[in-house]
Amino acid sequence: MREQKLKISFNSPVILGFAVICFGALILGMITGGRTNNMFFSVYRSSLLDPLTYVRFVGHVFGHAGWEHFLGNIMLILVVGPLLEEKYGSADLLFVILATALVTGIANFALFPRIQLLGASGVVFALILLSSFTSMKEGEIPLTFILVAALYIGQQVYQGIFVNDNVSNLTHILGGLVGAGLGYVMNKDKIHNRIY
C-alpha cells in the first residue's frame, strides 16, 4: 500500500494575496512609524490633485493600526474568504474587495474630513454578507441572509448611535451593503445562466 504524501496547496490566491499585502503594510507601518500608513494605507481628506489620494481610496483596506487590528480582520477573512473564492471565483471576489474599498474610501473622504480610516473591516463585512448568499435559489432570499444582515448591520447602527469608540460603523455598514448587493447580483446571474 502506497503512502500518499500531503502537500500544501495555494488554494485561494486573492485571499492569500490580500493577507500578505496587509501583513506587508503592517510591517512597513511599524518600520516607518506610521508614515506609510499616512501615505498609502489610510484614507482621509486630501487634495484631489494629489495622485496618492486616489491610491488611498483603495489602499486603506491594507493598512492596520496594530497587530490586534490586523489579526481581528485577517482571521475572519481567512476563514470566510477561501470558501467564497471557490464559489464565486478569484476575479469576482477581487471585484468585491476592490468595490468595497472604493465605496468605503470615497464615503470616508466625502463625509468625514477629519477622520483617517484604515483597515479591512469593511471587506470583512462584505464577505460575511456575501457568504449568506451562497445557497440562494431563484425567487428566494435566504433566511440566513436576513438574520446575518439584521444582526451585523443592526449591531453597527446601535454602536454608531450609542457607543463612542474608534470604530467606523459606517464602513462596516457600507461594506455589508456592497457584499449583499454584489452577492445578490452574482448569484442571480449564476442562477440565470444555469436555467438558460
Side-chain angles (χ1 to χ4, degrees), residues 31-46:
I31 291 170
T32 64
R35 283 189 296 281
T36 53
N37 279 348
N38 290 333
M39 228 180 200
F40 307 111
F41 305 120
S42 61
V43 66
Y44 47 87
R45 183 69 60 85
S46 56

Side-chain angles (χ1 to χ4, degrees), residues 130-157:
L130 177 63
S131 71
S132 64
F133 272 99
T134 55
S135 62
M136 182 177 162
K137 296 179 179 127
E138 186 172 19
E140 296 179 2
I141 295 176
L143 180 58
T144 53
F145 165 73
I146 294 168
L147 291 172
V148 167
L151 293 172
Y152 273 93
I153 304 283
Q155 177 193 30
Q156 294 310 304
V157 170

